[in-house]
Amino acid sequence: MSDEVEIARIERGYGKFLVVKIATWKDSNYVDVREYYTEKESDELRPTKKGIRFSYDLVEEIQDALAKVKEHVEGAS
């Protein structure tokens, strides 16, 4: 059984969102970052194939990597 909790929804333009969720599956926690779109007919939010799911154990390493990305981009400006 998989349980999911939405943590953040970031708007990326009309009807498109980047959604961050925590998912639990087989007693392990995962982070899911995925692009979603709003279906025109039903107005429901639907996931796309564009995204990544990784073990919660990697969160600190990914945070460090993203901080380095930010430093690099801001330093290049």
Side-chain angles (χ1 to χ4, degrees):
M1 182 176 158
S2 177
D3 293 322
E4 293 184 348
V5 176
E6 185 174 313
I7 300 300
R9 185 180 295 190
I10 303 162
E11 190 169 357
R12 298 197 62 231
Y14 182 75
K16 293 182 182 179
F17 298 89
L18 190 63
V19 178
V20 180
K21 293 183 179 184
I22 297 175
T24 303
W25 189 69
K26 291 189 177 182
D27 296 328
S28 294
N29 292 315
Y30 297 90
V31 177
D32 189 80
V33 181
R34 188 154 313 278
E35 189 172 279
Y36 281 69
Y37 69 97
T38 305
E39 191 175 72
K40 291 179 184 179
E41 294 80 28
S42 65
D43 209 34
E44 291 183 45
L45 206 57
R46 301 281 186 186
T48 69
K49 291 182 181 181
K50 296 178 182 179
I52 183 171
R53 178 176 276 197
F54 54 89
S55 172
Y56 180 77
D57 298 340
L58 296 174
V59 166
E60 286 189 34
E61 290 180 60
I62 291 171
Q63 283 178 320
D64 291 343
L66 291 174
K68 289 178 184 177
V69 167
K70 185 175 180 181
E71 289 172 13
H72 179 78
V73 170
E74 289 176 354
S77 298

